[in-house]
Amino acid sequence: AVRHRRRPEIDPLALSFDYPGGHADIFVARLEQLARDLSPARAALARRLVARRADCAENDVVLGHDPQGAPLIVAPAAPLHLSLAGRDNIVAAALADDRIGVDVETIAAPFETPRNILHPAEQAVLDAAGERAPEIFLRFWTAKEAYVKALGEGLAREPSGIEIRLGDDDDFEVWDRGRRIETALAWTGRTLVRRRPVMLACMIAPR
């Protein structure tokens, strides 16, 4: 008889945020091995997060996608919004009372930052950042991704048209086509997921 090895249970890092009028929860997990397709791991993490928030069994959670491909909760019937992300062997799921976007990037060796996808003001920040430029670039990029996911658009548009202004406490502002976007929550920062450093961002669109 052939015994199938049981997959190790994903042990996520759990983050929670209160914002005006609602609450957000984020799970971030590191997989044991790299996977060609992170979709199953993202979905498993999302079901676990939804089950905890909705107080139901994971098997009762059904996920789907809207016409634009964004994840949504089919069951249970709950007024919650879901966002998913993944990079390398890291997956993330975010859940909130309002439209939410989440993104994650792994932090590794320094790299040449692609300036063409940044707003001119962001490029100026990187020019003055010195050795910190790669991590600041990841803060910009994850914030942009979180923003467009919260809108339900995805990066089907030119990312250099979106300007991220980083705050002093891991918060950020979004300026889109020269207009400041109101946000209920806008956060991006460095954290560790089972000893692997990652850059994580989440944004909640206003009601």
Side-chain angles (χ1 to χ4, degrees):
V2 177
R3 290 188 176 182
H4 295 281
R5 293 181 60 188
R6 183 180 178 183
R7 290 185 178 181
E9 184 177 356
I10 296 176
D11 185 21
L13 168 71
L15 301 172
S16 294
F17 297 90
D18 289 314
Y19 62 91
H23 181 79
D25 292 296
I26 303 175
F27 275 2
V28 191
R30 180 180 179 181
L31 307 181
E32 294 293 339
Q33 296 179 339
L34 292 174
R36 291 185 178 180
D37 182 8
L38 291 176
S39 299
R42 285 195 301 258
L45 190 66
R47 284 192 294 269
R48 185 171 178 181
L49 178 58
V50 172
R52 190 186 76 163
R53 180 80 177 260
D55 193 22
C56 68
E58 291 183 35
N59 289 338
D60 293 334
V61 177
V62 180
L63 305 178
H65 295 86
D66 67 14
Q68 286 72 45
L72 54 79
I73 303 167
V74 177
L80 296 171
H81 299 261
L82 177 67
S83 182
L84 306 176
R87 175 66 67 185
D88 298 334
N89 64 338
I90 303 293
V91 290
L95 196 64
D97 298 296
D98 298 275
R99 293 179 299 159
I100 187 170
V102 68
D103 192 53
V104 65
E105 293 285 344
T106 53
I107 300 175
F111 58 91
E112 188 68 27
T113 55
R115 303 300 180 93
N116 62 307
I117 61 176
L118 297 180
H119 186 276
E122 296 167 344
Q123 295 181 25
V125 171
L126 285 194
D127 288 339
E131 295 180 353
R132 297 180 60 238
E135 283 203 23
I136 291 178
F137 170 83
L138 292 179
R139 290 190 69 193
F140 284 142
W141 184 249
T142 54
K144 287 174 190 275
E145 285 271 17
Y147 167 59
V148 294
K149 287 182 179 181
L151 296 183
E153 296 180 352
L155 274 176
R157 48 181 296 195
E158 180 55 54
S160 62
I162 303 167
E163 179 191 356
I164 301 297
R165 299 184 183 180
L166 301 174
D168 295 327
D169 298 313
D170 291 338
D171 60 320
F172 64 89
E173 292 181 356
V174 180
W175 290 72
D176 197 346
R177 300 182 178 93
R179 180 174 64 92
R180 185 177 183 272
I181 304 300
E182 294 295 329
T183 61
L185 173 69
W187 178 90
T188 177
R190 176 184 176 129
T191 189
L192 288 174
V193 183
R194 291 178 55 199
R195 299 187 300 276
R196 179 158 193 182
V198 303
M199 192 67 67
L200 182 70
C202 73
M203 199 208 90
I204 296 177
R207 297 178 179 177

